[in-house]
Amino acid sequence: MSSYTTVIINILAMLALVYSLYYMQRKGVNFGIRVMVGMVLGILFGGVLQSLFGGSSTIIKQSNSWFDLIGSGYVRLLKMIVMPLIIVSIISAITNIKDMKILGKAGGLIIGILLFTTAIAGLIGAGSSLAFHLSAEGLQVGEAELGATKSVEGKLTAFQTKPIQQQLIEIIPTNPFYALTGQGSADTLSVVFFSALIGIAVLSIKQSKPQSAEFFMKVMKTANDVVMQLVDFVLLLTPYGVLALMTKFVSTSNYADIYKLIEFVVASYLALILMFIVHLIILSFMGFNPFTYIKKVIPVLIFAFTSRTSAGTLPLTIEALINKLGVPSGYANLSASFGVSIGQNGCAGIYPAMLAVMVAPTVGINPLEISFLLKLVIIVAIGSFGIAGVGGGATFAALVVLSTMGLPVGIVGLLIAIEPLIDMGRTALNVSGAMIAGIASSKIMGEMDTETYHQEILETKTM
């Protein structure tokens, strides 16, 4: 059988799986169940392709290039609506605020919660490395790892040319239209900043120019309705996107590399699970049923897991916070938007802390010393805020922590082979951390709609 024919068969098999998900949708199967089924089908189908052809084969590459029409196409659709969603949602939320003091308190509270949970994540990450006795001393360096290490060191040099103050200043866009293109290093936060200023400006003219303010608010309400309908259209495709993304990941994974570093993978996921349990404990302390939270956000976390993009998951995060968890629009948009770059529990908390503990013995530092661990947790928390201005997720977070602690950064390159596998869990935890910040902040401020949080999940026409 020719490779061309084999690729055609693979495409037909994917289409059959897509149709099975569509059939479930027509039969009214719950949206969350369809997303989970899509993930399981992707794992199984990807595993079959991997076992038959090998992850680096031409057949796999050609097949995935067609599967990308669904997987990457869906991710691009989500990214397409991120900026319009941020603009209309934040402007609408701010213009409906009666007291400007609430806005400042809410933003500060959300950032504080994100940094606090990241500090806890850092402590858990360090503890996981210590419990598994992980060390960088035993890692073997191959040609690929050497190349990755040089690349990482180059990024560190570029990163260190800008102090944290400059990185934070760059959140203020000199050209908001450029920020809207998503090309800048802090584009998401720049758009949040610009949208917030517009909202504040509208509030300031309510007294002096009430007609202009009222007209603008009506326009934004209309735009918000249109954008949210667009979000509903895109979210309807989630099960299919998850199916294609998981198929591609499993079919192209290098199991040999994963096996060599399996202990680090296990330690990482144990830390991620423990931090997620911390999220549930926080909910319990605030009077919320953690199992209700899991049931309502599982589709969002599954997509974050398979897509490995917090920014791409943003529309799903905001939708879940508002419509399923009862978080007011303003809190939902701020926490979700801040959570993309600030206080990422997985990428900026657990990961760099684990690497710091692994590297410390190579330079004669005892990672069990209280002073070392205390300094590490503080740097992890503060460093997670500094990452906001540069982008780059876990890599830059690790560079910040390791370089600030005076530790070698080469380990970031040594772990490059298993980076995608760990990044899946990290991204899901990042998104959960952002949602916890939204729930906790709105609850503390007395703005939470607890009835929406506790009510049963109802299947809608879009889900």
Side-chain angles (χ1 to χ4, degrees):
M1 185 182 299
S2 67
S3 61
Y4 178 80
T5 303
T6 304
V7 171
I8 294 295
I9 293 174
N10 292 341
I11 294 172
L12 292 176
M14 172 60 76
L15 292 176
L17 295 176
V18 168
Y19 179 78
S20 68
L21 291 174
Y22 176 69
Y23 181 79
M24 293 175 65
Q25 178 182 330
R26 290 184 58 187
K27 291 298 182 180
V29 177
N30 181 273
F31 176 75
I33 293 177
R34 298 202 311 271
V35 173
M36 294 186 70
V37 170
M39 183 178 70
V40 172
L41 290 177
I43 292 173
L44 295 176
F45 187 39
V48 170
L49 294 177
Q50 167 78 255
S51 62
L52 290 176
F53 310 109
S56 60
S57 70
T58 303
I59 291 177
I60 292 290
K61 293 178 181 177
Q62 292 178 345
S63 298
N64 279 317
S65 69
W66 287 100
F67 300 163
D68 272 345
L69 291 174
I70 302 173
S72 297
Y74 176 66
V75 173
R76 291 177 69 91
L77 282 173
L78 280 171
K79 290 183 176 180
M80 175 188 73
I81 60 178
V82 165
M83 294 306 181
L85 178 61
I86 290 175
I87 291 176
V88 299
S89 298
I90 289 185
I91 292 178
S92 298
I94 291 177
T95 53
N96 289 322
I97 292 177
K98 296 181 180 180
D99 188 352
M100 282 300 299
K101 293 181 180 179
I102 295 178
L103 176 62
K105 289 180 180 179
L109 184 59
I110 289 170
I111 292 175
I113 293 172
L114 287 170
L115 297 183
F116 174 70
T117 54
T118 301
I120 297 176
L123 190 60
I124 290 176
S128 182
S129 284
L130 291 171
F132 279 81
H133 304 289
L134 299 180
S135 175
E137 293 175 320
L139 292 179
Q140 295 182 347
V141 182
E143 185 176 344
E145 287 80 5
L146 282 174
T149 300
K150 291 180 180 179
S151 175
V152 166
E153 290 174 345
K155 290 182 179 180
L156 176 61
T157 302
F159 175 80
Q160 290 177 331
T161 59
K162 293 182 180 180
I164 291 180
Q165 300 93 316
Q166 180 64 32
Q167 297 158 23
L168 294 177
I169 288 174
E170 290 182 358
I171 294 175
I172 303 174
T174 55
N175 184 346
F177 297 102
Y178 177 76
L180 286 170
T181 65
Q183 302 299 311
S185 59
D187 51 289
T188 302
L189 289 179
S190 294
V191 173
V192 171
F193 182 85
F194 179 67
S195 303
L197 285 184
I198 292 179
I200 293 171
V202 174
L203 285 180
S204 67
I205 65 171
K206 272 190 174 181
Q207 298 296 328
S208 60
K209 299 177 181 179
Q211 292 182 337
S212 297
E214 184 179 354
F215 175 76
F216 184 85
M217 290 172 66
K218 287 182 179 179
V219 171
M220 291 311 302
K221 184 180 185 306
T222 301
N224 186 63
D225 292 340
V226 173
V227 171
M228 290 309 298
Q229 186 61 52
L230 180 60
V231 170
D232 287 342
F233 288 153
V234 176
L235 296 192
L236 188 64
L237 303 174
T238 302
Y240 312 104
V242 168
L243 165 66
L245 289 167
M246 187 55 76
T247 298
K248 181 178 181 179
F249 174 77
V250 175
S251 64
T252 57
S253 293
N254 189 327
Y255 297 133
D257 288 337
I258 294 173
Y259 180 76
K260 285 192 299 183
L261 295 169
I262 191 65
E263 192 173 23
F264 181 78
V265 174
V266 172
S268 296
Y269 271 91
L270 176 62
L272 293 170
I273 292 171
L274 288 175
M275 188 59 207
F276 184 70
I277 293 174
V278 170
H279 289 172
L280 302 183
I281 292 174
I282 292 173
L283 290 175
S284 298
F285 274 125
M286 304 197 80
F288 296 110
N289 187 330
F291 297 104
T292 299
Y293 172 77
I294 294 174
K295 287 192 295 184
K296 292 191 173 186
V297 305
I298 194 67
V300 181
L301 298 185
I302 287 177
F303 176 74
F305 183 85
T306 54
S307 66
R308 296 168 50 205
T309 166
S310 298
T313 312
L314 191 64
L316 285 79
T317 306
I318 294 174
E319 189 275 338
L321 282 170
I322 297 173
N323 297 330
K324 295 181 180 179
L325 299 173
V327 176
S329 175
Y331 290 85
N333 283 280
L334 285 175
S335 61
S337 300
F338 286 157
V340 169
S341 302
I342 298 174
Q344 296 181 336
N345 289 184
C347 289
I350 288 175
Y351 185 64
M354 290 186 68
L355 298 192
V357 169
M358 291 175 64
V359 171
T362 67
V363 292
I365 296 176
N366 181 6
L368 288 172
E369 290 182 359
I370 300 299
S371 59
F372 171 82
L373 293 174
L374 182 61
K375 180 181 178 182
L376 175 61
V377 170
I378 293 174
I379 290 176
V380 162
I382 297 176
S384 71
F385 190 89
I387 296 302
V390 296
T395 297
F396 276 110
L399 293 179
V400 169
V401 172
L402 293 177
S403 60
T404 304
M405 297 283 291
L407 300 172
V409 300
I411 189 174
V412 181
L414 298 181
L415 297 173
I416 202 70
I418 58 170
E419 178 71 11
L421 178 61
I422 303 172
D423 196 43
M424 299 172 81
R426 289 192 313 231
T427 305
L429 186 66
N430 293 342
V431 172
S432 179
M435 288 194 282
I436 293 299
I439 295 171
S441 59
S442 59
K443 172 67 173 178
I444 292 172
M445 296 291 288
E447 300 287 339
M448 181 80 175
D449 181 2
T450 55
E451 290 186 7
T452 298
Y453 182 96
H454 292 294
Q455 73 182 15
E456 291 295 322
I457 301 175
L458 300 176
E459 192 73 10
T460 66
K461 63 180 180 179
T462 60
M463 305 294 276

